[in-house]
């Protein structure tokens, strides 16, 4: 099996292990599997890139995924400093994605309508959550939400896969925020958070690699890529 296929399969297995652990309420399994996800996905991205380009590494994409890994690890700790550190790590990943979208994205139809929809979602969510958030987290969460929404909006510049990934990332973090605000949650909320988050990161990575490969999308076996 080629390395990029092996790494993507390993990512899928680690995700299955993590989601299964969350459904079963098996915390040690989540602690083991969650930190494996982003390094495996970053490894897949590097191998997929090298198969098609022959050299180099998509540094901003790898950085975005590894900042996601940093956030994943920090959020395993149930403490406010860890939460703020995790949020900062994810924010750095969003900056990496925004730079990628600016560099490789193209204008899409209905950009204005999409921007209005994301703007309304941001304003509505922050307004509804504000009073229920701990006072010391209100400003950090609002600032992070602005950056996250900008990333989700701009992700559509890379096409459908990345656009859906950006929207899922926004949904995943909104689920986290509603939990912090102690709103009613779905059964096994961490399962839904991790499912939408992992799907978001995969689709964003796939969208970025596809944008670097204008002749074809990048599934498990990428096509030729321009450097």
């Amino acid at each position: 099996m080629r390395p990029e296929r092996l790494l993507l399969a390993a990512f899928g297995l680690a995700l299955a292990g993590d989601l299964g652990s969350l459904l079963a309420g098996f915390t040690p399994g989540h602690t083991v599997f969650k930190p494996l996800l982003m390094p495996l996905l970053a490894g897949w991205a590097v191998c997929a890139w090298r198969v098609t380009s022959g050299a180099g590494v998509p540094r901003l994409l790898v950085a975005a995924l590894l900042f996601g890994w940093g956030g994943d690890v920090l959020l395993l700790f149930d403490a406010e400093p860890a939460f703020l550190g995790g949020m900062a790590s994810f924010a750095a990943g969003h900056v990496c994605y925004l730079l990628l979208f600016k560099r490789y994205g193209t204008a899409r139809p209905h950009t204005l309508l999409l921007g209005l929809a994301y703007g309304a979602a941001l304003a509505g969510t922050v307004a509804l959550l504000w009073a229920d958030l701990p006072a010391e987290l209100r400003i950090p969460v609002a600032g992070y939400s602005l950056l996250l929404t900008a990333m989700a909006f701009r992700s559509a510049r890379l096409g459908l896969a990345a656009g859906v990934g950006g929207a899922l990332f926004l949904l995943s973090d909104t689920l986290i925020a509603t939990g912090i605000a102690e709103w009613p949650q779905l059964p096994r909320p961490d399962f839904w958070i991790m499912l939408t988050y992992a799907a978001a990161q995969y689709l964003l990575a796939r969208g970025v690699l596809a944008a670097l490969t204008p002749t074809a999308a990048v599934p498990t076996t990428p096509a030729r890529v321009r450097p």
Side-chain angles (χ1 to χ4, degrees):
M1 184 178 290
R2 287 164 54 166
E4 74 277 10
R5 293 181 178 178
L6 182 62
L7 285 163
L8 192 58
F11 169 75
L13 289 173
L15 178 58
D18 188 41
L19 295 178
S21 297
L22 291 171
L23 285 175
F26 183 55
T27 302
H30 178 57
T31 303
V32 169
F33 286 115
K34 185 182 182 184
L36 298 177
L37 295 174
M38 291 307 106
L40 288 171
L41 193 59
W44 166 73
V46 169
C47 288
W49 174 265
R50 285 180 173 171
V51 163
T52 55
S53 71
V57 174
R59 292 184 179 87
L60 280 173
L61 175 57
V62 171
L65 294 172
L66 293 183
F67 278 126
W69 171 78
D72 290 345
V73 172
L74 286 168
L75 291 186
L76 287 172
F77 300 94
D78 188 17
E80 186 175 306
F83 175 79
L84 291 172
M87 190 162 56
S89 191
F90 283 122
H94 296 328
V95 171
C96 293
Y97 278 128
L98 284 168
L99 292 173
L100 284 166
F101 303 154
K102 180 179 180 181
R103 184 175 300 177
Y104 299 109
T106 57
R108 303 283 172 171
H110 312 302
T111 298
L112 177 59
L113 290 176
L114 188 62
L116 291 173
Y118 272 120
L122 171 65
T125 301
V126 171
L128 289 170
L129 288 171
W130 187 265
D132 296 325
L133 290 171
E136 65 275 14
L137 292 181
R138 288 172 182 168
I139 298 301
V141 168
Y144 175 80
S145 297
L146 178 60
L147 181 61
L148 170 62
T149 304
M151 185 281 293
F153 166 58
R154 298 290 284 182
S155 66
R157 289 174 58 85
L158 294 191
L160 181 61
V164 173
L168 287 175
F169 213 134
L170 181 61
L171 173 59
S172 180
D173 280 7
T174 300
L175 292 174
I176 294 175
T178 59
I180 295 170
E182 298 184 350
W183 284 17
Q185 299 290 297
L186 294 168
R188 299 294 183 191
D190 288 345
F191 170 86
W192 301 107
I193 289 168
M194 284 306 301
L195 177 63
T196 51
Y197 165 70
Q201 290 280 37
Y202 168 70
L203 289 171
L204 285 167
R206 175 177 172 174
V208 168
L209 293 178
L212 299 174
T213 314
T215 57
V218 180
T220 57
T221 308
R224 293 195 61 80
V225 177
R226 295 183 307 176

